[in-house]
Amino acid sequence: MRVRSVLSVTVLAGGLVLFLQPTGAAVSEVRQSSAVITDVVEYQCTTTGATEKQNIKVKVEMTMPATATTGEQMSIGWQGTYADGTGLKAPATGLTADTSLYAYASISGLTGLTSATGVGTPGTVGANQVIPLPTTPVSLSTTSSNAGTATVRPAALNFGTAANAPSIKCAVQNQDALTTYPLTVAAADQTGTETETGTDTGTETDTDTGTETETETETEPETGGNGKVQQTPSGPAATGGGGERGPDGRMFLLTGSLLILTATTGLLLRRRAWR
Protein backbone atom coordinates (compact mmCIF):
# COMPACT_ATOMS: atom_id res chain seq x y z
CA MET A 1 0.00 0.00 0.00
CA ARG A 2 2.84 2.39 0.84
CA VAL A 3 4.52 1.72 -2.52
CA ARG A 4 1.31 2.48 -4.40
CA SER A 5 0.84 5.72 -2.45
CA VAL A 6 4.39 6.87 -3.25
CA LEU A 7 3.92 6.08 -6.95
CA SER A 8 0.62 7.97 -7.06
CA VAL A 9 2.18 11.07 -5.47
CA THR A 10 5.14 10.91 -7.88
CA VAL A 11 2.91 10.65 -10.97
CA LEU A 12 0.70 13.50 -9.74
CA ALA A 13 3.68 15.76 -9.09
CA GLY A 14 5.17 15.00 -12.52
CA GLY A 15 1.85 15.76 -14.20
CA LEU A 16 1.64 19.14 -12.46
CA VAL A 17 5.19 20.02 -13.60
CA LEU A 18 4.38 19.12 -17.21
CA PHE A 19 1.15 21.08 -17.04
CA LEU A 20 2.73 24.25 -15.68
CA GLN A 21 5.82 24.39 -17.96
CA PRO A 22 4.35 24.90 -21.47
CA THR A 23 3.13 28.45 -20.75
CA GLY A 24 6.61 29.95 -20.87
CA ALA A 25 7.96 27.42 -23.38
CA ALA A 26 5.33 28.25 -26.00
CA VAL A 27 6.21 31.96 -25.96
CA SER A 28 9.93 31.19 -26.31
CA GLU A 29 9.28 28.88 -29.26
CA VAL A 30 7.24 31.49 -31.12
CA ARG A 31 9.94 34.10 -30.64
CA GLN A 32 12.63 31.80 -31.94
CA SER A 33 10.73 30.45 -34.94
CA SER A 34 9.87 33.77 -36.58
CA ALA A 35 11.63 37.08 -37.10
CA VAL A 36 10.47 40.61 -37.86
CA ILE A 37 12.66 42.94 -39.92
CA THR A 38 12.06 46.68 -40.10
CA ASP A 39 13.85 48.74 -42.72
CA VAL A 40 13.41 52.17 -44.28
CA VAL A 41 13.47 51.45 -47.99
CA GLU A 42 14.27 54.25 -50.41
CA TYR A 43 12.28 54.01 -53.66
CA GLN A 44 12.41 55.90 -56.92
CA CYS A 45 9.04 55.67 -58.65
CA THR A 46 8.26 56.08 -62.33
CA THR A 47 4.69 56.79 -63.48
CA THR A 48 3.50 55.89 -66.95
CA GLY A 49 2.92 59.06 -69.01
CA ALA A 50 4.83 61.29 -66.59
CA THR A 51 8.40 62.46 -67.01
CA GLU A 52 8.96 63.44 -63.41
CA LYS A 53 10.06 60.75 -61.00
CA GLN A 54 9.16 60.58 -57.32
CA ASN A 55 11.47 59.62 -54.48
CA ILE A 56 9.76 58.18 -51.42
CA LYS A 57 10.73 56.33 -48.27
CA VAL A 58 8.72 53.41 -46.93
CA LYS A 59 9.20 51.79 -43.56
CA VAL A 60 8.85 48.09 -44.35
CA GLU A 61 8.24 45.46 -41.72
CA MET A 62 8.79 41.90 -42.89
CA THR A 63 7.92 38.73 -41.00
CA MET A 64 9.70 35.52 -41.93
CA PRO A 65 7.71 32.27 -41.89
CA ALA A 66 8.14 30.06 -38.83
CA THR A 67 8.57 27.01 -41.08
CA ALA A 68 9.15 26.51 -44.79
CA THR A 69 9.17 23.20 -46.66
CA THR A 70 10.08 22.30 -50.22
CA GLY A 71 7.12 21.94 -52.54
CA GLU A 72 4.79 23.83 -50.18
CA GLN A 73 3.79 27.48 -50.49
CA MET A 74 5.33 29.73 -47.85
CA SER A 75 4.27 33.20 -46.80
CA ILE A 76 6.35 36.27 -45.88
CA GLY A 77 4.49 39.09 -44.16
CA TRP A 78 4.90 42.63 -45.58
CA GLN A 79 3.69 45.82 -43.89
CA GLY A 80 4.58 49.25 -45.25
CA THR A 81 4.09 52.83 -44.06
CA TYR A 82 5.47 56.08 -45.47
CA ALA A 83 8.51 57.51 -43.66
CA ASP A 84 10.10 60.97 -43.29
CA GLY A 85 7.00 62.79 -44.51
CA THR A 86 7.11 61.31 -48.00
CA GLY A 87 4.21 59.87 -49.97
CA LEU A 88 3.62 58.56 -53.47
CA LYS A 89 1.17 60.72 -55.43
CA ALA A 90 -1.24 59.39 -58.03
CA PRO A 91 -0.98 60.61 -61.64
CA ALA A 92 -3.15 63.41 -63.02
CA THR A 93 -5.72 60.82 -64.10
CA GLY A 94 -5.90 59.32 -60.63
CA LEU A 95 -6.12 55.58 -59.85
CA THR A 96 -9.07 53.41 -60.69
CA ALA A 97 -10.78 51.22 -58.10
CA ASP A 98 -9.31 48.05 -59.60
CA THR A 99 -5.72 49.23 -59.04
CA SER A 100 -3.68 46.92 -56.82
CA LEU A 101 -0.42 47.23 -54.93
CA TYR A 102 2.19 44.59 -55.78
CA ALA A 103 4.87 44.16 -53.10
CA TYR A 104 7.95 42.08 -53.72
CA ALA A 105 10.74 40.51 -51.68
CA SER A 106 14.05 39.48 -53.23
CA ILE A 107 15.31 36.00 -52.32
CA SER A 108 18.82 34.79 -53.09
CA GLY A 109 20.80 31.69 -52.24
CA LEU A 110 18.40 29.00 -53.46
CA THR A 111 18.38 27.71 -57.03
CA GLY A 112 15.15 28.54 -58.83
CA LEU A 113 13.87 30.89 -56.12
CA THR A 114 14.34 34.64 -56.66
CA SER A 115 11.32 36.45 -55.25
CA ALA A 116 8.03 36.41 -53.38
CA THR A 117 4.98 38.44 -54.42
CA GLY A 118 1.95 39.78 -52.58
CA VAL A 119 -1.10 41.82 -53.59
CA GLY A 120 -2.77 44.61 -51.60
CA THR A 121 -5.60 47.06 -52.31
CA PRO A 122 -5.01 50.81 -51.92
CA GLY A 123 -8.52 51.81 -53.03
CA THR A 124 -9.71 54.60 -55.31
CA VAL A 125 -7.37 57.63 -55.38
CA GLY A 126 -8.02 61.03 -56.97
CA ALA A 127 -5.63 62.98 -59.17
CA ASN A 128 -2.33 63.98 -57.55
CA GLN A 129 -3.41 62.56 -54.19
CA VAL A 130 -1.13 60.44 -52.00
CA ILE A 131 -1.75 56.75 -52.62
CA PRO A 132 -2.51 55.07 -49.28
CA LEU A 133 -0.65 51.89 -48.43
CA PRO A 134 -2.66 48.88 -47.19
CA THR A 135 -3.30 49.06 -43.45
CA THR A 136 -3.29 45.28 -43.10
CA PRO A 137 -0.24 43.06 -43.73
CA VAL A 138 0.28 41.81 -47.26
CA SER A 139 1.20 38.16 -47.64
CA LEU A 140 4.09 37.56 -50.05
CA SER A 141 3.86 34.01 -51.35
CA THR A 142 6.38 31.75 -53.02
CA THR A 143 7.37 28.08 -53.26
CA SER A 144 10.83 26.55 -53.23
CA SER A 145 11.73 23.30 -54.96
CA ASN A 146 15.08 23.08 -53.18
CA ALA A 147 16.05 22.89 -49.52
CA GLY A 148 18.63 25.22 -48.02
CA THR A 149 19.09 28.72 -46.58
CA ALA A 150 18.19 31.85 -48.51
CA THR A 151 18.63 35.60 -47.93
CA VAL A 152 15.54 37.84 -47.97
CA ARG A 153 15.29 41.61 -48.53
CA PRO A 154 12.51 44.08 -49.41
CA ALA A 155 12.24 44.62 -53.16
CA ALA A 156 10.14 46.52 -55.71
CA LEU A 157 6.78 48.14 -55.06
CA ASN A 158 4.42 48.54 -58.02
CA PHE A 159 0.86 49.74 -58.67
CA GLY A 160 -1.43 48.76 -61.52
CA THR A 161 -4.41 46.74 -62.67
CA ALA A 162 -2.18 43.69 -63.38
CA ALA A 163 1.17 42.45 -62.10
CA ASN A 164 2.66 42.43 -65.60
CA ALA A 165 1.27 45.84 -66.52
CA PRO A 166 2.07 48.32 -63.73
CA SER A 167 1.26 52.00 -64.18
CA ILE A 168 3.64 53.02 -61.36
CA LYS A 169 6.94 51.23 -60.75
CA CYS A 170 9.06 51.88 -57.66
CA ALA A 171 12.62 50.50 -57.61
CA VAL A 172 14.80 50.11 -54.50
CA GLN A 173 17.69 52.58 -54.31
CA ASN A 174 19.46 51.42 -51.12
CA GLN A 175 19.39 47.66 -51.50
CA ASP A 176 22.89 47.10 -50.09
CA ALA A 177 22.00 48.99 -46.90
CA LEU A 178 18.93 46.89 -46.15
CA THR A 179 18.86 44.26 -43.44
CA THR A 180 18.95 40.67 -44.62
CA TYR A 181 17.53 37.65 -42.83
CA PRO A 182 18.12 33.95 -43.50
CA LEU A 183 15.12 31.95 -44.64
CA THR A 184 15.53 28.23 -44.04
CA VAL A 185 13.68 25.80 -46.30
CA ALA A 186 13.57 22.22 -45.05
CA ALA A 187 13.24 19.13 -47.23
CA ALA A 188 9.79 17.57 -47.23
CA ASP A 189 9.38 14.36 -45.29
CA GLN A 190 9.07 11.58 -47.89
CA THR A 191 8.02 8.85 -45.48
CA GLY A 192 4.47 10.03 -45.25
CA THR A 193 4.02 10.88 -48.94
CA GLU A 194 5.21 7.76 -50.71
CA THR A 195 2.52 6.04 -52.74
CA GLU A 196 2.79 2.31 -53.25
CA THR A 197 1.36 1.30 -56.58
CA GLY A 198 0.24 -2.24 -57.19
CA THR A 199 -2.55 -4.31 -58.66
CA ASP A 200 -4.84 -6.06 -56.26
CA THR A 201 -7.41 -8.19 -58.04
CA GLY A 202 -9.15 -9.01 -54.80
CA THR A 203 -9.31 -12.67 -55.86
CA GLU A 204 -6.70 -14.14 -53.62
CA THR A 205 -7.36 -17.87 -53.59
CA ASP A 206 -6.53 -20.17 -50.73
CA THR A 207 -7.70 -23.69 -51.49
CA ASP A 208 -8.42 -25.87 -48.50
CA THR A 209 -9.88 -29.26 -49.41
CA GLY A 210 -10.69 -30.00 -45.81
CA THR A 211 -9.23 -33.51 -46.22
CA GLU A 212 -6.02 -33.04 -44.34
CA THR A 213 -5.31 -36.38 -42.68
CA GLU A 214 -3.01 -36.84 -39.76
CA THR A 215 -2.50 -40.50 -38.76
CA GLU A 216 -1.30 -41.18 -35.29
CA THR A 217 -1.06 -44.79 -34.17
CA GLU A 218 -0.87 -45.53 -30.53
CA THR A 219 0.43 -49.01 -29.62
CA GLU A 220 -0.78 -50.44 -26.37
CA PRO A 221 2.17 -51.39 -24.22
CA GLU A 222 2.69 -55.14 -23.80
CA THR A 223 3.33 -56.62 -20.46
CA GLY A 224 5.67 -59.52 -19.97
CA GLY A 225 5.29 -62.42 -17.63
CA ASN A 226 6.98 -60.50 -14.84
CA GLY A 227 4.39 -57.71 -14.98
CA LYS A 228 6.84 -55.16 -16.44
CA VAL A 229 5.91 -53.13 -19.47
CA GLN A 230 7.65 -54.07 -22.67
CA GLN A 231 7.85 -51.44 -25.37
CA THR A 232 8.34 -52.25 -29.01
CA PRO A 233 11.10 -50.12 -30.56
CA SER A 234 9.77 -47.63 -33.10
CA GLY A 235 12.85 -47.80 -35.29
CA PRO A 236 15.51 -50.32 -36.27
CA ALA A 237 17.16 -52.13 -33.40
CA ALA A 238 20.73 -51.26 -32.60
CA THR A 239 21.88 -54.64 -33.89
CA GLY A 240 22.66 -53.58 -37.43
CA GLY A 241 20.01 -55.86 -38.93
CA GLY A 242 16.73 -54.12 -38.22
CA GLY A 243 14.07 -54.62 -35.57
CA GLU A 244 12.71 -57.90 -37.01
CA ARG A 245 15.92 -60.02 -37.04
CA GLY A 246 16.37 -60.19 -33.31
CA PRO A 247 19.76 -60.63 -31.58
CA ASP A 248 22.89 -60.70 -33.72
CA GLY A 249 23.93 -64.41 -34.54
CA ARG A 250 27.59 -63.52 -34.71
CA MET A 251 27.84 -63.78 -30.94
CA PHE A 252 26.73 -67.42 -31.06
CA LEU A 253 29.19 -68.27 -33.83
CA LEU A 254 32.04 -66.73 -31.90
CA THR A 255 31.13 -68.61 -28.72
CA GLY A 256 30.88 -71.95 -30.60
CA SER A 257 34.22 -71.42 -32.24
CA LEU A 258 35.87 -70.82 -28.89
CA LEU A 259 34.32 -74.00 -27.43
CA ILE A 260 35.52 -76.10 -30.36
CA LEU A 261 39.02 -74.62 -30.14
CA THR A 262 39.14 -75.34 -26.41
CA ALA A 263 37.97 -78.92 -26.84
CA THR A 264 40.50 -79.58 -29.59
CA THR A 265 43.30 -78.17 -27.48
CA GLY A 266 42.28 -80.37 -24.55
CA LEU A 267 42.27 -83.54 -26.64
CA LEU A 268 45.72 -82.77 -27.97
CA LEU A 269 47.10 -82.26 -24.50
CA ARG A 270 45.46 -85.44 -23.23
CA ARG A 271 46.79 -87.45 -26.13
CA ARG A 272 50.35 -86.28 -25.43
CA ALA A 273 49.96 -87.16 -21.76
CA TRP A 274 49.10 -90.74 -22.64
CA ARG A 275 52.25 -91.12 -24.59
Side-chain angles (χ1 to χ4, degrees), residues 1-13:
M1 295 298 293
R2 292 182 179 178
V3 174
R4 293 182 179 177
S5 299
V6 173
L7 290 176
S8 300
V9 172
T10 303
V11 172
L12 179 59

Side-chain angles (χ1 to χ4, degrees), residues 149-167:
T149 301
T151 300
V152 182
R153 290 178 178 175
L157 188 63
N158 296 339
F159 296 85
T161 56
N164 58 354
S167 57

Side-chain angles (χ1 to χ4, degrees), residues 7 14 17 20 42 58 72 88 121 139 150 179 223 226 229 244 250 262:
L7 290 176
V17 172
L20 294 176
E42 298 178 3
V58 179
E72 297 181 4
L88 179 63
T121 304
S139 178
T179 303
T223 58
N226 55 3
V229 177
E244 296 181 356
R250 288 177 292 181
T262 302

Side-chain angles (χ1 to χ4, degrees), residues 37-43 56-62 77-88 101 103 130-138 154 157 159:
I37 303 172
T38 301
D39 267 323
V40 175
V41 184
E42 298 178 3
Y43 288 102
I56 62 173
K57 293 181 180 180
V58 179
K59 182 180 180 180
V60 177
E61 182 180 285
M62 299 184 69
W78 185 95
Q79 180 75 62
T81 55
Y82 290 117
D84 298 339
T86 63
L88 179 63
L101 172 146
V130 175
I131 303 173
L133 300 177
T135 57
T136 57
V138 177
L157 188 63
F159 296 85

Side-chain angles (χ1 to χ4, degrees), residues 33 68 116 130 171 184 187 199 205 216 231 261:
S33 61
V130 175
T184 301
T199 303
T205 304
E216 181 177 352
Q231 294 183 352
L261 180 60

Side-chain angles (χ1 to χ4, degrees), residues 11 13 30 32 43 53 73 77 110 163 171 183 188 197 213 231 236 255 265:
V11 172
V30 170
Q32 292 177 2
Y43 288 102
K53 297 182 180 181
Q73 182 173 285
L110 283 176
L183 171 65
T197 304
T213 303
Q231 294 183 352
T255 302
T265 303

